[in-house]
Amino acid sequence: MPQAPPFITRFLLRLRRWADAGWSNSVVFGWGLLQGGIFPGLADLFFLPLALARPERAYRLALVATAGTLIGSVVLYWIGAEALVLLEGPVARFFDFSPDVFAEYRTRLAQYGAWAIFASTMSPLSTKLTSLASGAIGVPFAAFTGALLAGRLTRTFALAWLVRHGGAQAVARWTHVPPA
């Protein structure tokens, strides 16, 4: 197997020091919160490297990352729900949407909206727009939260499983840095 470039090896060793400093949970939670609600970017930006640095913590970091993104997304959902007043009022009149059209959308979203939200969490794309739109269009809060939680847990636990069952060892072989 070809050897990793030296900067990758140095980066992995630095990640281990950061993970051992005791603030990895805070960083993963904070980034999840900011990414779920404000900043664009991958939700797994800190979770995955820190899990690779300390694979024994992968599942705990998956839970922490999920909690952060869930809270950030729920905030966006409520912002979208507040925007619903504008959508049903002046914007609806401008585009000639009747209250019946909104009622039809809500019925359809109550049936299928959770699947769309779940699918959005599986992609590497941000769920910010999905969260805002879910609130604005009126996806039921329980369906939104359940689908978001199920999707995020599925994604982060699948990544944690990969880290624990081969990913961390593959990185250690490639960088010639012994596993943690």
Side-chain angles (χ1 to χ4, degrees):
M1 175 182 274
Q3 188 170 355
F7 74 91
I8 298 287
T9 302
R10 286 192 307 272
F11 182 63
L12 179 63
L13 291 170
R14 180 169 292 144
L15 283 172
R16 283 191 184 167
R17 284 194 304 275
W18 290 351
D20 291 339
W23 50 267
S24 57
N25 285 343
S26 300
V27 168
V28 169
F29 178 82
W31 176 249
L33 183 66
L34 291 173
Q35 191 283 327
I38 300 171
F39 292 125
L42 297 174
D44 309 318
L45 182 67
F46 289 103
F47 153 64
L48 207 48
L50 288 170
L52 282 168
R54 289 293 179 214
E56 68 277 5
R57 299 179 188 161
Y59 291 113
R60 182 178 65 207
L61 289 171
L63 282 173
V64 170
T66 299
T69 55
L70 182 70
I71 292 169
S73 296
V74 165
V75 168
L76 282 180
Y77 173 91
W78 288 112
I79 290 171
E82 291 299 316
L84 181 60
V85 173
L86 288 173
L87 289 175
E88 287 182 326
V91 174
R93 284 191 296 276
F94 180 78
F95 288 107
D96 201 27
F97 283 135
S98 69
D100 294 337
V101 171
F102 276 101
E104 182 183 331
Y105 282 141
R106 281 198 186 95
T107 302
R108 213 174 292 140
L109 284 171
Q111 292 174 338
Y112 305 111
W115 287 109
I117 294 162
F118 181 84
S120 77
T121 63
M122 291 294 115
S123 73
L125 303 174
S126 173
T127 58
K128 278 182 265 326
L129 287 177
T130 305
S131 299
L132 279 169
S134 296
I137 299 299
V139 172
F141 183 71
F144 168 77
T145 307
L148 187 69
L149 182 61
R152 283 294 181 193
L153 282 174
T154 301
R155 177 186 170 122
T156 57
F157 270 80
L159 290 171
W161 186 88
L162 289 172
V163 165
R164 292 286 295 169
H165 298 282
Q169 291 87 358
V171 169
R173 281 195 307 272
W174 184 53
T175 61
H176 298 288
V177 173

